[in-house]
Amino acid sequence: MSSRAQDALVPIALQIELVGRLLWYERGLQKSADRQLRALILERPRDPASARAAAQLASQLQGATLGGRQVTLARVSYESVEQVARAAQQQRAYLAWLTPGFGELAGELGRALGTRGVLTISSHGADTARGVVLGFELESGKPRIMLNLKQARAQKLDFSAQLLRVVKVVP
Amino acid sequence: MRAKLLTAASLVLISLWLPRPARAEPPPPEPQGELDALETLLDQPVVTTASRAAEQVQTAPSAMFTITAEDIRTYGIRSIDEALDLLGVGMRVDKARDYYTGVDVGVQGLMLRDYGRHLLVLLDGHVMNSQANGEITLHEGLGVPLEAIDHIEVMLGAGSVMYGSNAMTAVVHVVTKSAQRERGAHGVAELSVAPPSAVDGYARRPDGEHGMGYQYRLGVGAAHTFSVGRLPASFSLRAEWQENLSHDYAVAKSTGEDFELRPGETSWGGVASHRMRAPSAVLGLSLGDFTLRAQGSHYSRTIPLIALFDDQSAEELRSSARFDLSHAKQLNHLLHLNSRAYGDYMHQSESSTWINPWWCLPGQIDGCAFTSRHVSRWLGLEQQLRIEPRADGSLSTTLGYDVRLRDGSGRPADYRDLVNGEYPYATHLPYYKSTSVLGSVFLQQLYRPVNWFTLNVGARLDVDSLFGTHLSPRAALVFVPHHTASIRASYAEAFRGPSAAELYATDPTYVIRPDSLGAEVVRTAELEWQQRVSFVSFSLRGYVAFYRDFIAQRSATPDETSRAFERNELASSVDPTWVVINDNIDRIRSYGGTVTLQARPVRGLSVAGSVTVSRDHSEEISDVLWPRSFGNFRLAYEFRPDGPSLSLATSFAHKRNAFNSAANTENNTVIKVRDTFDLRLTLSSPIRGVAGLRVRAGGGVRVFPDAPYLLTGGSGTGERVQYFHDVPQLYLLLGVSYDY
């Protein structure tokens, strides 16, 4: 299933800024002594919207700090769920950012990466209902952070109660 | 013992020398500043109207505000004009109706009884203004179900750089809910009741002669998302029926033969009421990158005070049907293409009955039935290409075109004999038909060399077969020194091309057509500072606007009148001194500013307000309707997230002129609407135990009801100020909604 270019998305720069701030409230990351944060950008081949988002993410995440951690980045072109999971393991990724275009596959990726403890983030809020941990959507023209708390807890991600006040928890 | 001590010391030394394994540290205290910043970011709307692309409101090149669906629910809003009045910023909307003109909307120092011509209204990016006369209304006649609205974006100031004609004072963009958000079935039922009003406009106890008013709204909706093959698809529908059987309002009796009196009547006045019906629907279908939207509405309202008193056959009608097929595609990692094909049909009419022959044509000695009709049809194609050569989004070029084929026609002044229904035999009744083409190209360049600075420049060239060409430039500089602050300086020009109706519509009793008309133009400069400090955010905006070549009616010269007689445009009985003609005659200068404040002092409580103060000066239209100061204030408390909420919303305005021109009166009397203060209290709550069921209850009051109108007797005599309180002073509201 391809992505729809008409879907209103939260601008990528704003998504990055929101993640950068909310990761201060993921206690697992904050307890970690590692000052680096390894991130994967998952790109759907032959999907221009995905390529565009991946390029924007790569450009704006490179050298950025998220939750006080310096980001090191790898771009992964999707071939299979297993290949992505392997890449996440090899890179020791803390988070994987799904670009638009994965549709139903987002759920499979969320679950597969979840078993390896990877925080999955999608530009589509609806993907959180499929098993992605964090997503974004525009509700009445305002950005909303969607959090699949059940999936987050299953992955031992420890978001603080303060953060839960400002995100929308997906049932 | 000594050996043991040596061994222990060695172990300590070795342990100190060995590299320390990575060890989990206790988490640092969570920084409150980050949470504040997060809340700030989540509270900042993402808007699309100003640049035709998603951007945070603080970096937009124009002043913007948004009203969300939640605001509409929380504050007991019943129509878009109410939303803009009670929740808007820098925008004055007043329902002081005179007969049928809907609402007066003022922005940037300009408030005319102009039927919305200086304002552009969009529905999901689709232009809604009539292409025959430029008109649009923001009350129930707009034809958008309230429950279909996701949010309303309002861009204040000149907006022609992106949207062309009519976007002189503001662009009101109504964005409907997506099928994704609307999934399921929905229903709403709401009833307002209003007591009758006395001659002074204040509510009074109902009795046998003075009845209550009722306004109800019934709506249904459904949305579904699915797949067709590998393509995502969705469907959404919202339909609504609104009806108002108004309260009875008392009107002081006027005596005199010059007034429109039925046989046997000796005075004009008494108790009147009106009826309004407004069914409307919006439909959305999407498949892959294609989206089809359709809208239909039929608005009717009796206008019982226009001629005969309480004439229930006098009526205003507005119908519309629109479709919009759009396609959006990311062509590659650089190029994004939006295409839109659209078509609209709009019909407007007004009918009334006149007894006094002075208002009718020669030979219609028993009176006449007057009808005015305008029909507008248009088809268009618009494409917009966005080029972003840099992945970080620091450089973005938008270019596009819009081609529109317009057909406007009308019978602006039909007079039929009241007794036999026949058309006049001696006077030619006007009819106009105009087919015109509008073509435009636009270009916008956005450059953000560093995170804290954005430059946005653009221009649009409109070529219109009705009047010629016009170039609308805009330049904006936005500084964001910190995520809590932004400063914007901008300059923009906008225009309104003359409509087919202004060019060609005539009335044989007093209006002749001009030889030509040019475009109205506004030039504006603005400076805005937005700042957030802790839980408080405020903005300060100043503007200066120069309006020129305003189209207004002036007295026709003897030469123009005699030529009109030769063209058979005027009835033989017309008094030449009463003949008027449209012309580009006016200039208005306005300057002012708006202060806006928003705060969330404790969780669940939100407080907001804005005050606008301005001065304006016009050279020909002797007085505009713009109040010197106005504003609104609101507060809402949500007892728990998605739980019950209690809100109070108010709006106020300094006294203002009731009419555009003092020339309306014989002795140049300036009639004022006194200070207004409206207040509304609303409780909204989910019903425990029934998921999806919500109740909304509340009431509103206009504290100082005042609605003057100048009543003119036949032959131009007998002028006096009358008060028509067709907007109730009080009302109570109760509604339920259900989302399945």
Side-chain angles (χ1 to χ4, degrees):
Chain A
M1 189 182 290
S2 67
S3 59
R4 279 168 42 79
Q6 295 200 346
D7 291 338
L9 295 178
V10 176
I12 294 285
L14 181 55
Q15 290 182 33
I16 292 171
E17 194 169 354
L18 290 169
V19 170
R21 296 188 187 281
L22 73 82
L23 287 183
W24 284 102
Y25 300 89
E26 203 282 284
R27 294 188 186 114
L29 177 70
Q30 296 304 322
K31 281 179 193 168
S32 158
D34 196 346
R35 306 312 298 170
Q36 296 231 317
L37 187 152
R38 293 171 181 81
L40 294 186
I41 298 172
L42 305 187
E43 185 178 347
R44 193 83 203 263
R46 295 180 298 283
D47 186 322
S50 176
R52 172 73 194 152
Q56 284 183 304
L57 281 166
S59 163
Q60 294 174 49
L61 276 174
Q62 191 65 54
T65 57
L66 299 177
R69 304 299 196 267
Q70 190 81 28
V71 176
T72 54
L73 208 57
R75 272 171 86 161
V76 176
S77 183
Y78 173 84
E79 291 168 16
S80 68
V81 174
E82 294 73 28
Q83 166 251 352
V84 171
R86 274 199 307 277
Q89 199 161 22
Q90 284 164 5
Q91 301 280 339
R92 289 187 294 144
Y94 170 78
L95 69 81
W97 211 305
L98 279 68
T99 54
F102 283 98
E104 299 293 337
L105 271 175
E108 282 185 52
L109 284 166
R111 287 187 294 275
L113 292 168
T115 57
R116 287 163 173 81
V118 178
L119 167 61
T120 44
I121 302 173
S122 170
S123 299
H124 285 289
D127 288 343
T128 51
R130 299 179 173 126
V132 172
V133 176
L134 281 174
F136 302 94
E137 70 175 25
L138 286 175
E139 189 178 297
S140 284
K142 290 190 176 178
R144 289 280 172 270
I145 303 170
M146 317 291 284
L147 170 65
N148 185 330
L149 192 58
K150 191 177 168 190
Q151 181 68 29
R153 284 180 176 153
Q155 293 181 213
K156 306 277 191 296
L157 291 164
D158 184 12
F159 289 108
S160 85
Q162 280 202 80
L163 180 73
L164 298 185
R165 283 188 357 219
V166 299
V167 302
K168 190 169 177 178
V169 175
V170 179
Chain B
M1 182 66 187
R2 195 174 172 185
K4 280 182 181 173
L5 282 172
L6 280 171
T7 308
S10 305
L11 285 171
V12 169
L13 284 171
I14 289 166
S15 70
L16 288 173
W17 175 77
L18 283 173
R20 284 181 163 199
R23 184 166 63 86
E25 295 171 2
E30 288 159 356
Q32 183 59 37
E34 294 297 325
L35 197 67
D36 288 344
L38 204 54
E39 286 190 299
T40 304
L41 290 168
L42 293 172
D43 208 33
Q44 292 270 341
V46 172
V47 294
T48 57
T49 307
S51 302
R52 289 189 178 230
E55 62 192 343
Q56 286 177 270
V57 72
Q58 63 175 1
T59 58
S62 301
M64 307 244 359
F65 69 85
T66 65
I67 296 169
T68 66
E70 190 184 347
D71 293 334
I72 288 172
R73 187 188 70 205
T74 303
Y75 291 102
I77 301 299
R78 299 179 299 170
S79 59
I80 291 175
D81 58 312
E82 282 187 1
L84 295 171
D85 180 35
L86 289 162
L87 313 177
V89 175
M91 191 171 204
R92 176 67 191 161
V93 183
D94 207 329
K95 261 188 178 165
R97 295 180 175 175
D98 64 334
Y99 297 136
Y100 70 100
T101 52
V103 292
D104 296 332
V105 182
V107 193
Q108 301 274 91
L110 190 71
M111 189 167 183
L112 301 170
R113 194 141 298 160
D114 61 355
Y115 307 87
R117 281 193 287 258
H118 296 95
L119 170 88
L120 188 74
V121 179
L122 307 174
L123 177 64
D124 293 316
H126 179 113
V127 170
M128 297 187 83
N129 292 57
S130 164
Q131 299 295 297
N133 55 21
E135 293 178 10
I136 193 69
T137 182
L138 290 170
H139 58 43
E140 299 86 351
L142 184 65
V144 180
L146 200 63
E147 301 296 323
I149 298 171
D150 180 72
H151 65 283
I152 303 167
E153 286 183 17
V154 179
M155 179 172 83
L156 300 171
S160 291
V161 65
M162 288 282 115
Y163 300 102
S165 184
N166 296 93
M168 285 188 82
T169 57
V171 177
V172 177
H173 189 178
V174 181
V175 181
T176 59
K177 290 172 183 165
S178 67
Q180 182 73 36
R181 190 177 166 196
E182 274 280 88
R183 274 185 300 182
H186 314 275
V188 64
E190 200 163 83
L191 174 70
S192 304
V193 293
S197 56
V199 169
D200 58 8
Y202 286 90
R204 54 161 293 161
R205 191 187 299 268
D207 57 24
E209 196 185 351
H210 302 83
M212 302 279 289
Y214 302 92
Q215 178 160 347
Y216 67 88
R217 183 164 68 92
L218 298 172
V220 291
H224 185 52
T225 56
F226 51 97
S227 297
V228 177
R230 297 178 65 241
L231 294 175
S234 68
F235 156 84
S236 67
L237 173 71
R238 276 284 187 181
E240 202 163 88
W241 179 282
Q242 284 200 70
E243 183 156 5
N244 178 18
L245 305 165
S246 89
H247 66 301
D248 285 334
Y249 33 95
V251 178
K253 292 192 174 181
S254 301
T255 54
E257 293 177 356
D258 283 336
F259 292 96
E260 291 300 309
L261 303 176
R262 298 177 182 89
E265 285 182 340
T266 55
S267 63
W268 193 97
V271 178
S273 64
H274 64 265
R275 171 185 51 75
M276 181 277 290
R277 280 190 190 132
S280 62
V282 293
L283 170 76
L285 292 168
S286 75
L287 178 65
D289 293 323
F290 287 93
T291 299
L292 175 69
R293 291 191 177 90
Q295 179 269 352
S297 64
H298 179 76
Y299 168 85
S300 63
R301 184 188 189 274
T302 56
I303 41 177
L305 303 178
I306 192 165
L308 294 170
F309 185 77
D310 197 25
D311 181 4
Q312 294 298 322
S313 65
E315 192 171 36
E316 177 201 5
L317 298 173
R318 292 169 185 264
S319 305
S320 65
R322 309 171 196 274
F323 86 86
D324 189 301
L325 178 64
S326 60
H327 177 260
K329 187 78 181 168
Q330 185 76 40
L331 302 176
N332 57 37
H333 68 287
L334 294 178
L335 304 175
H336 186 276
L337 180 68
N338 277 299
S339 307
R340 177 194 295 273
Y342 55 89
D344 295 62
Y345 168 84
M346 279 182 85
H347 175 271
Q348 294 168 260
S349 72
E350 171 212 327
S351 56
S352 51
T353 302
W354 301 80
I355 298 288
N356 194 324
W358 192 85
W359 298 107
C360 301
L361 294 177
Q364 296 174 336
I365 56 171
D366 298 313
C368 56
F370 172 82
T371 311
S372 173
R373 299 186 196 92
H374 299 274
V375 176
S376 176
R377 290 175 284 244
W378 65 99
L379 280 171
L381 176 68
E382 179 187 276
Q383 284 198 296
Q384 173 191 317
L385 182 69
R386 194 168 69 244
I387 307 163
E388 294 186 331
R390 294 186 185 169
D392 61 3
S394 63
L395 200 59
S396 172
T397 306
T398 302
L399 55 123
Y401 69 87
D402 186 4
V403 179
R404 195 176 301 168
L405 182 65
R406 303 173 299 194
D407 179 74
S409 62
R411 299 187 69 86
D414 263 0
Y415 293 86
R416 299 173 75 167
D417 189 277
L418 192 59
V419 174
N420 59 27
E422 288 183 0
Y423 288 107
Y425 54 86
T427 307
H428 174 71
L429 290 179
Y431 169 76
Y432 74 89
K433 181 168 175 58
S434 160
T435 301
S436 59
V437 181
L438 168 72
S440 65
V441 288
F442 54 90
L443 174 71
Q444 176 185 253
Q445 182 63 54
L446 185 145
Y447 180 46
R448 187 176 293 130
V450 284
N451 281 339
W452 51 268
F453 173 68
T454 304
L455 170 69
N456 186 318
V457 292
R460 170 168 166 141
L461 178 68
D462 282 84
V463 182
D464 189 329
S465 65
L466 280 178
F467 74 92
T469 62
H470 190 81
L471 181 71
S472 308
R474 178 178 68 188
L477 306 173
V478 182
F479 300 89
V480 186
H482 188 254
H483 72 269
T484 59
S486 72
I487 297 166
R488 176 179 59 84
S490 63
Y491 172 81
E493 289 185 21
F495 79 103
R496 184 181 77 84
S499 66
E502 284 166 312
L503 283 163
Y504 308 122
T506 61
D507 185 322
T509 62
Y510 75 113
V511 182
I512 61 175
R513 57 178 282 190
D515 292 332
S516 67
L517 287 174
E520 299 177 343
V521 179
V522 60
R523 290 174 291 149
T524 63
E526 292 182 14
L527 189 62
E528 184 178 35
W529 170 33
Q530 296 180 58
Q531 180 71 54
R532 179 163 177 133
V533 181
S534 184
F535 58 83
V536 179
S537 59
F538 72 88
S539 74
L540 189 60
R541 183 174 71 95
Y543 75 89
V544 56
F546 299 95
Y547 301 90
R548 66 172 169 84
D549 296 332
F550 251 85
I551 297 171
Q553 287 184 339
R554 63 165 169 80
S555 295
T557 63
D559 184 45
E560 287 167 336
T561 305
S562 64
R563 279 191 278 129
F565 273 117
E566 287 167 16
R567 292 196 302 262
N568 210 17
E569 271 178 29
L570 290 170
S572 56
S573 59
V574 164
D575 178 350
T577 60
W578 279 79
V579 175
V580 295
I581 186 169
N582 282 326
D583 201 356
N584 293 99
I585 53 170
D586 211 358
R587 286 169 182 271
I588 299 173
R589 293 193 309 273
S590 178
Y591 55 90
T594 300
V595 181
T596 309
L597 191 73
Q598 282 182 297
R600 294 180 187 275
V602 295
R603 186 142 191 86
L605 179 64
S606 67
V607 182
S610 74
V611 176
T612 298
V613 180
S614 68
R615 294 294 303 269
D616 57 323
H617 172 74
S618 69
E619 293 175 7
E620 292 290 335
I621 300 174
S622 47
D623 289 290
V624 293
L625 308 180
W626 184 253
R628 187 166 295 179
S629 65
F630 64 87
N632 52 33
F633 170 80
R634 61 187 184 272
L635 88 173
Y637 185 71
E638 195 176 41
F639 294 88
R640 61 170 192 276
D642 295 322
S645 67
L646 185 64
S647 73
L648 175 72
T650 65
S651 75
F652 62 91
H654 193 254
K655 69 180 177 185
R656 66 179 177 94
N657 292 335
F659 309 103
N660 288 348
S661 176
N664 278 350
T665 67
E666 286 181 323
N667 52 6
N668 282 349
T669 308
V670 176
I671 303 167
K672 298 275 186 186
V673 180
R674 64 179 166 177
D675 298 349
T676 61
F677 183 63
D678 292 353
L679 194 146
R680 180 163 308 188
L681 188 68
T682 308
L683 172 70
S684 171
S685 175
I687 301 296
R688 188 171 288 183
V690 188
L693 186 64
R694 287 193 78 94
V695 65
R696 186 165 85 151
V701 58
R702 169 157 283 203
V703 179
F704 311 114
D706 192 27
Y709 190 78
L710 184 76
L711 204 63
T712 307
S715 70
T717 61
E719 281 183 344
R720 58 175 292 175
V721 178
Q722 269 287 13
Y723 295 86
F724 303 158
H725 296 285
D726 57 353
V727 178
Q729 193 221 353
L730 287 174
Y731 76 85
L732 293 173
L733 168 79
L734 180 65
V736 291
S737 63
Y738 183 61
D739 299 317
Y740 177 70

